[in-house]
């Protein structure tokens, strides 16, 4: 079974994000970039499925600028067999990415697609669901456990009230949550091996996909700064402030 794993290049989670002075977006100049943490979990899960003998090939996919090749090399260092970059300098919104992935699915015919539930830069949490809708395939989002056997997948997913277990017929789409696994440390020998693994570069036009933005960002601003805390002499004053000033009770 072939497993397709989309990965995204985002600002590293340790970096404090700054908004541009003109409010047009986030400043990413000279900022450390890395693989989206949820996608890293997806790659790890695909590698574990291969180690169990369930998956035969892992294909990592990324859509974006040329530098996304670094992210794909990281995915191959974790254990992906080959990679595909859909190179595009324009802003790619979730629907455009889902369409590109659908076109790649038609080419590759994977038995399973595993991707992060959301990216930590835009937090849209849409691509996996849109891909499932476009492909007409079953989906299980926010997976905390995945078991694949006999042409089906059993996925435990996190919901507001606890856990829900779904049975999916393959091919299917699965999006990963934080508690699914802990990605392995990438060793230097594997980083060197990843440099020799095949990486194909395509354009959206090669896949016949229109990636024109459907949404326009009007302004980006930082959240308002929190006010300083105050001490209150007694419970009665606290309750009064929560009721009259904060208006939370």
């Amino acid at each position: 079974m072939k497993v397709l794993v989309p990965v995204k290049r985002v600002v590293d989670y340790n970096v404090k994000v700054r908004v541009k002075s003109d409010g047009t977006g986030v400043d990413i100049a000279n900022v450390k970039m890395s693989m989206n943490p949820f996608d890293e979990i997806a790659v790890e899960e695909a590698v574990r499925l291969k180690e169990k003998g369930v998956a035969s090939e892992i294909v990592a996919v990324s859509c974006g600028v040329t530098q996304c090749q670094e992210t794909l090399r990281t995915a191959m260092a974790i254990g992906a067999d080959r990679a595909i970059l859909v190179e595009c300098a324009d802003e790619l919104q979730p629907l455009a990415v889902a369409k590109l992935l659908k076109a790649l699915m038609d080419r590759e015919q994977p038995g399973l697609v595993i991707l992060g539930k959301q990216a930590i830069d835009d937090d849209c949490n849409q691509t996996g669901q849109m891909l499932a809708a476009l492909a007409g395939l079953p989906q299980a989002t926010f997976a905390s456990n995945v078991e694949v056997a006999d042409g089906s997948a059993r996925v435990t997913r996190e919901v507001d009230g606890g856990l829900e277990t779904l049975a999916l017929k393959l091919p299917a789409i699965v999006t990963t949550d934080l508690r699914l696994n802990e990605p392995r440390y990438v060793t230097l020998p594997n980083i060197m091996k990843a440099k020799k693994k095949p990486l194909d570069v395509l354009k959206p036009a090669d896949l016949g996909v229109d990636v024109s933005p459907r949404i326009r960002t009007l302004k980006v601003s930082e959240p308002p700064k929190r006010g300083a805390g105050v001490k209150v002499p007694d419970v009665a004053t606290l309750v009064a402030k929560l009721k009259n000033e904060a208006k939370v009770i």
Side-chain angles (χ1 to χ4, degrees):
M1 180 182 72
K2 183 186 296 183
V3 180
L4 194 72
V5 187
V7 297
K8 186 177 183 181
R9 178 177 180 263
V10 299
V11 175
D12 189 86
Y13 65 92
N14 287 314
V15 173
K16 180 174 173 54
V17 177
R18 289 178 301 210
V19 176
K20 292 179 180 178
S21 57
D22 58 2
T24 57
V26 173
D27 186 8
I28 59 171
N30 301 315
V31 170
K32 182 184 178 184
M33 308 291 283
S34 61
M35 187 190 302
N36 178 46
F38 290 104
D39 295 338
E40 197 172 356
I41 292 170
V43 177
E44 173 66 26
E45 191 63 23
V47 173
R48 292 187 184 190
L49 289 174
K50 187 177 181 182
E51 290 172 345
K52 292 176 183 176
V54 175
S56 57
E57 184 183 26
I58 302 170
V59 183
V61 177
S62 191
C63 306
V65 295
T66 305
Q67 290 85 342
C68 290
Q69 291 189 27
E70 301 168 10
T71 307
L72 290 170
R73 292 293 177 193
T74 302
M76 289 190 285
I78 295 173
D81 298 296
R82 59 187 176 92
I84 301 172
L85 170 62
V86 182
E87 194 174 42
C88 179
D90 300 328
E91 177 194 0
L92 290 175
Q93 295 172 352
L95 180 59
V97 175
K99 288 180 177 179
L100 292 171
L101 294 178
K102 168 64 169 60
L104 287 173
M105 285 183 65
D106 293 340
R107 280 192 174 200
E108 297 290 333
Q109 295 295 313
L112 183 65
V113 179
I114 308 178
L115 64 161
K117 70 172 184 177
Q118 65 194 73
I120 62 171
D121 52 0
D122 55 21
D123 278 330
C124 283
N125 186 7
Q126 296 175 341
T127 305
Q129 293 89 327
M130 287 178 169
L131 176 60
L134 291 172
L137 295 177
Q139 62 175 310
T141 55
F142 319 134
S144 60
N145 186 57
V146 177
E147 297 174 6
V148 179
D150 302 324
S152 64
R154 191 175 180 86
V155 180
T156 301
R157 60 188 299 267
E158 300 188 1
V159 294
D160 291 340
L163 299 176
E164 178 183 53
T165 302
L166 301 177
L168 309 176
K169 202 173 201 180
L170 299 181
I173 314 294
V174 174
T175 71
T176 64
D177 213 328
L178 281 173
R179 280 158 287 281
L180 179 58
N181 62 53
E182 185 173 338
R184 68 194 65 192
Y185 177 76
V186 180
T187 61
L188 181 59
N190 286 336
I191 293 173
M192 301 306 293
K193 289 177 185 176
K195 293 181 179 180
K196 298 180 180 179
K197 292 182 178 180
L199 193 159
D200 298 327
V201 179
L202 303 173
K203 299 287 185 182
D206 299 332
L207 300 172
V209 177
D210 176 19
V211 296
S212 303
R214 264 62 174 181
I215 301 170
R216 184 163 56 94
T217 302
L218 299 178
K219 185 180 180 182
V220 178
S221 59
E222 293 188 8
K225 293 182 179 179
R226 293 180 61 181
V230 295
K231 291 183 178 180
V232 294
D234 50 43
V235 175
T237 307
L238 173 61
V239 173
K241 284 184 174 291
L242 290 174
K243 185 176 181 179
N244 301 323
E245 295 181 19
K247 300 189 184 300
V248 295
I249 58 174

